[in-house]
Amino acid sequence: MSRRTLVVGEVRQGHLADVSLEAAGRAIELTEPTAVVGFVAGSGAEAAAGEFARVGIADVRWTDAGSGSDASAGRIAPTVAALAREIEADLVIVGGTTFGRDLAGALAIRWDAVSATGVTDVRREAGAIHVRRPVFGGRATETRRLAGPRVVLALRPHAFAVPSVTPTTVRTSGFAFVEPAPSWREAKLLALEPAAAGGGPALADASIVVSGGRGVRAPENFRLVEELAASLGAAVGASRAVTDAGWRPGTFQVGQTGKAVSPQLYIAVGISGAIQHLVGMVSSRVIVAINSDPSAPIFRVADYGIVGDLFQIVPALTAEIRRVRGP
Amino acid sequence: MEIVVCVKPVPEAETRLRVAADGARLDAEGVKFVLAGYDESAVEQALLLKEAVAGSTVHAIALGPAPRTEEVLRAAVALGCDKASWIEVPSGGSDDPLDAARILAAAIRGLPHDLVLCGKQAGDDESGLVAGALAEALGVPGFGYVVDLRWDAARSRFTFHRAVESGQESWECPGPIVIGLQQAWNDPRTAKLPAILKSRKATITKIAASGAAASVATPEKFELPAPRTGAKMIEYRTPQEAAEKLVRILREDAKVFP
Ligand SMILES: Cc1cc2nc3c(=O)[nH]c(=O)nc-3n(C[C@H](O)[C@H](O)[C@H](O)COP(=O)(O)OP(=O)(O)OC[C@H]3O[C@@H](n4cnc5c(N)ncnc54)[C@H](O)[C@@H]3O)c2cc1C
C-alpha cells in the first residue's frame, strides 16, 4: 500500500483557507482520498478540521497548539513532524502562504525531508516527486526531482483548483501538541491587526488584483483603481511609485521589494512595467494593462492591452463590469 | 549584540537568463553575481541594529563557490560588516536550499549569535526555506516575512512585525532568534570607494562545509518562457467600447470571471 500524504491546513477567520483546500485537492490527485490525512492547529482548529470534508478527506487531526499560544509555523513544526511519523506519511503538502513557507523549512529539518516551495505543478513518477516552480521572479521555470523518502511541498497559491467533490463525513480527532525548543516559550504574538483598510481580499491571497501606478497622478485619484477593484471583488495593489509617494501604505506594494502575487487576473493601471514591478506579478495567469504610452514595457508582458487615458478607460470599465455582474 | 547575517550571491536582476547545455540549470557563464536583493536588506538591517546597540558586531557568512561568494562577502564588508566567513563549496554542487541551511547551521553553531538574519528568499531560486530551516536546526525561534525589526534594550528582546495574509502580526522575542527579512529599504547605504578598496584586503575566514547529507533534490529542467508576443491590443473608438470589448474577452476567452 502506498504511504500516506499529510495536508497541513491553515485556519483563517475560523475557516479552512482556500489554499489549504487547494493543497488537499492536489494531495488527493497524487494518491487517493483514503491515503490523505488532514491537520490543523491553533485556535478554531477543531471546528475548521471538519471543513476538510468539502474536498473528500475523511481523516483529520487537530491540535490547539498548547492552549492559548499562537500556531506560528516554527512552533507547530515538531507536532506536524510527529504526526507525519505516526501516520507513516512520505509527503506533506501545505499552501504556500507565509505560514506554509515558514513551516516547510522548519518541518524539512525536523522530519529530515527534502522540500520545494512555490510549486505550480507536481507529479509522482518512478518513486520520486517531480515539481515545477517559477524562479527568478517568474522569468524562468525549473523542474526538480525530489527523491524521498520524505518530501515537503508548499504549493503556490491559486496554482491549483479547489476540487469539487461530494463531501464525505469526516472523523476528527485531537493530536497531542509537541513542545518546540524551550526558547519558543518567550516568543510572544502580541497582536494581529487585520489587513489594511480598503476591504477586499488580502493582496497575496486574492484571485484578482487591480494595481495602480504613478499614472494615477494624485492620491485622491486612486479611488478610480479601488472602485474598479471593488466591482471585481479584487484586492488593490500599487507600484512603488505610489507607495513611495505615500499615496497608499507600503503593504499595497507589488514587486521585488513588495509582495509577489500570482492571481488569475492582474490589471495594471498607469504602471510602466519596470523590471522590479514585473517580478512581483508576471506569473499572474492573465495580465491586462491600461496605459497611455503604447511603448510602455508593461505591454510586453500583458496578455491584453488598452492604450488610452486611464481617467476615461477605468471608469468605463468599472461601469461595464457593474452592468454585466449586476449591482 | 552578535549579529550573523547570511548572504548569497545571485545573478544581477538585469541578467539575461540562458539555459545551460544540460538543460537543467541556469548557464552561469559570464553572469555577474551580486548580493541577493533581500540579503542586501538584511545587511542594511544588521548595520542599523549595530548602530543602535553599542558594542555590536556584524558577521557576514556565505556559502558558495569561488569567486562569486568571496566577492559578495567583500561587498558586505565594504558596506560595514565587521567580519566575514566563507564556506566554500565547488561550483555545480548541490543547489538545495536545505543543504545550504544545514551547512550554515553547522557553521553558525560555532559562532556567537544573538540574531541570525537572512533575506526572506533569494532572488534566484526563491525558495524562502533557509530562515525556517536554520531556526529549527539551531533550536531557536524563527520567523520569515519580518518587517520593523527593533531591539528593545530595556526589556532585552527583539520586537518586530510580520505581514501575513490575514494582516499584520506584532511579536516580541528574546535572542537568539532567526529572522527572514521582508523589509525593503528605500535607500539602503551604498559602499564608499575607500571602504570598497579596504574590503579588498579584509580577512575572509574560511569555514569547512559540514552537516549536509547527500542531497536528494536534482535539477531536471530549466526553462525560459516562450517570449511573450506582447499584448493583444484592444482597438476602440470610445472608452465604453474598449470596456465592453475587454469585459467580453475576460469572460469568454480568458474566463477569469463569470
Ligand atoms: C531596488 C529597487 C527595488 C524596487 N522595487 C519595486 C517594487 O517592489 N515594486 C515596484 O512597483 N517598483 C519597484 N521599484 C521601482 C521601479 O523601478 C519603478 O520605478 C516603479 O515600479 C515605477 O512605478 P510606476 O510604473 O507606477 O511609475 P512610472 O514608471 O512613472 O510609470 C507611470 C506610467 O503611467 C502611465 N500614465 C501616465 N498617465 C497616464 C494616464 N492618464 N493614463 C494611463 N496611463 C498613464 C505612463 O505612461 C507610465 O507608463 C524598485 C526599484 C529599485 C531600484
Side-chain angles (χ1 to χ4, degrees):
Chain A
M1 189 197 131
S2 73
R3 297 178 53 124
R4 295 209 268 185
T5 299
L6 177 62
V7 175
V8 180
E10 218 176 310
V11 186
R12 221 170 287 155
Q13 273 120 31
H15 293 283
L16 210 50
D18 275 354
V19 287
S20 308
L21 298 172
E22 292 166 13
R26 199 68 195 96
I28 288 168
E29 281 173 40
L30 282 171
T31 47
E32 53 191 276
T34 52
V36 179
V37 175
F39 174 72
V40 269
S43 66
E46 186 174 8
E51 295 181 14
F52 271 111
R54 277 178 56 193
V55 289
I57 295 180
D59 181 0
V60 183
R61 322 291 170 97
W62 58 271
T63 179
D64 62 8
S67 60
S69 58
D70 67 281
S72 55
R75 196 195 289 278
I76 68 154
T79 307
V80 177
L83 177 57
R85 260 182 227 113
E86 181 174 299
I87 65 168
E88 298 193 339
D90 62 354
L91 177 62
V92 175
I93 306 188
V94 59
T97 55
T98 50
F99 165 84
R101 292 172 58 143
D102 270 1
L103 178 69
L107 178 62
I109 293 294
R110 187 76 178 206
W111 190 43
D112 195 17
V114 64
S115 179
T117 58
V119 172
T120 54
D121 195 12
V122 49
R123 61 204 157 79
R124 209 188 255 275
E125 213 173 85
I129 300 277
H130 303 258
V131 295
R132 254 169 81 89
R133 50 193 301 277
V135 291
F136 289 96
R139 291 192 296 141
T141 311
E142 66 166 20
T143 306
R144 291 171 93 77
R145 176 176 185 275
L146 308 175
R150 289 169 297 277
V151 177
V152 179
L153 300 180
L155 306 185
R156 192 167 180 117
H158 309 309
F160 301 91
V162 174
S164 47
V165 300
T166 329
T168 46
T169 39
V170 67
R171 229 173 339 99
T172 63
S173 49
F175 186 78
F177 180 68
V178 178
E179 288 293 336
S183 48
W184 270 98
R185 255 176 248 143
E186 298 236 38
K188 293 213 165 62
L189 174 60
L190 305 174
L192 171 65
E193 281 162 45
L203 191 52
D205 253 1
S207 61
I208 304 180
V209 174
V210 181
S211 288
R214 201 196 316 265
V216 169
R217 262 189 247 147
E220 58 275 16
N221 300 336
F222 212 77
R223 167 181 64 78
L224 292 176
V225 175
E226 285 163 347
E227 284 168 3
L228 174 57
S231 74
L232 286 162
V236 179
S239 72
R240 174 152 158 195
V242 167
T243 54
D244 273 1
W247 299 352
R248 285 298 176 270
T251 47
F252 282 61
Q253 186 173 316
V254 171
Q256 183 184 318
T257 43
K259 290 204 174 66
V261 299
S262 55
Q264 296 294 312
L265 172 62
Y266 187 90
I267 304 183
V269 177
I271 291 178
S272 61
I275 180 76
Q276 297 90 351
H277 186 80
L278 299 185
V279 297
M281 45 65 76
V282 277
S283 53
S284 306
R285 193 168 77 80
V286 175
I287 298 170
V288 172
I290 300 169
N291 196 305
S292 52
D293 173 7
S295 64
I298 189 78
F299 287 124
R300 276 184 246 140
V301 302
D303 298 284
Y304 302 102
I306 298 180
V307 175
D309 179 4
L310 71 90
F311 293 95
Q312 294 186 15
I313 303 291
V314 172
L317 189 56
T318 306
E320 175 65 7
I321 291 164
R322 286 200 184 123
R323 191 182 69 76
V324 302
R325 298 189 92 198
Chain B
M1 184 188 302
E2 300 286 345
I3 305 169
V4 173
V5 54
C6 305
V7 297
K8 177 180 180 184
V10 302
E12 224 176 6
E14 296 74 24
T15 304
R16 263 201 66 198
L17 304 176
R18 284 165 325 198
V19 182
D22 68 357
R25 50 191 104 215
L26 171 76
D27 179 2
E29 185 67 39
V31 169
K32 181 163 187 259
F33 285 82
V34 295
L35 261 184
Y38 285 105
D39 292 355
E40 196 177 36
S41 290
V43 169
E44 178 69 20
Q45 173 73 78
L47 297 171
L48 289 171
L49 280 169
K50 177 187 156 169
E51 285 156 11
V53 185
S56 297
T57 308
V58 178
H59 191 153
I61 184 165
L63 166 82
R68 64 179 83 138
T69 313
E70 184 177 348
E71 284 163 13
V72 300
L73 280 169
R74 292 200 188 279
V77 170
L79 287 168
C81 292
D82 304 292
K83 293 187 213 162
S85 291
W86 175 20
I87 310 166
E88 185 174 358
V89 292
S91 96
S94 163
D95 61 352
D96 183 354
L98 288 165
D99 282 345
R102 288 186 179 98
I103 295 170
L104 284 167
I108 292 169
R109 251 180 237 122
L111 306 173
H113 58 275
D114 300 303
L115 169 66
V116 179
L117 272 169
C118 319
K120 83 159 185 184
Q121 63 181 36
D124 51 355
D125 68 31
E126 300 186 333
S127 84
L129 285 166
V130 171
L134 260 182
E136 180 63 32
L138 293 170
V140 304
F143 300 89
Y145 306 91
V146 165
V147 295
D148 301 333
L149 177 64
R150 283 165 224 267
W151 173 249
D152 181 343
R155 306 183 53 237
S156 288
R157 50 198 59 219
F158 294 99
T159 64
F160 54 91
H161 297 289
R162 275 166 42 96
V164 299
E165 285 71 11
S166 47
Q168 170 133 308
E169 296 175 348
S170 313
W171 284 87
E172 60 170 37
C173 186
I177 182 177
V178 180
I179 294 288
L181 201 70
Q182 145 113 339
Q183 190 87 42
W185 307 99
N186 287 341
D187 45 4
R189 69 197 69 201
T190 48
K192 305 254 172 355
L193 188 60
I196 296 173
L197 295 175
K198 219 173 128 208
S199 73
R200 291 196 187 144
K201 296 193 205 81
T203 313
I204 308 272
T205 310
K206 289 260 199 120
I207 302 181
S210 71
S215 178
V216 288
T218 342
E220 286 186 310
K221 214 187 267 175
F222 187 81
E223 295 163 283
L224 303 176
R228 291 242 189 188
T229 46
K232 180 176 182 306
M233 290 300 184
I234 291 171
E235 308 288 337
Y236 62 95
R237 277 156 306 195
T238 63
Q240 286 68 28
E241 188 185 351
E244 281 163 24
K245 283 188 167 173
L246 179 62
V247 168
R248 197 174 319 125
I249 289 170
L250 293 180
R251 294 176 85 189
E252 291 168 14
D253 296 356
K255 296 197 168 54
V256 284
F257 62 85

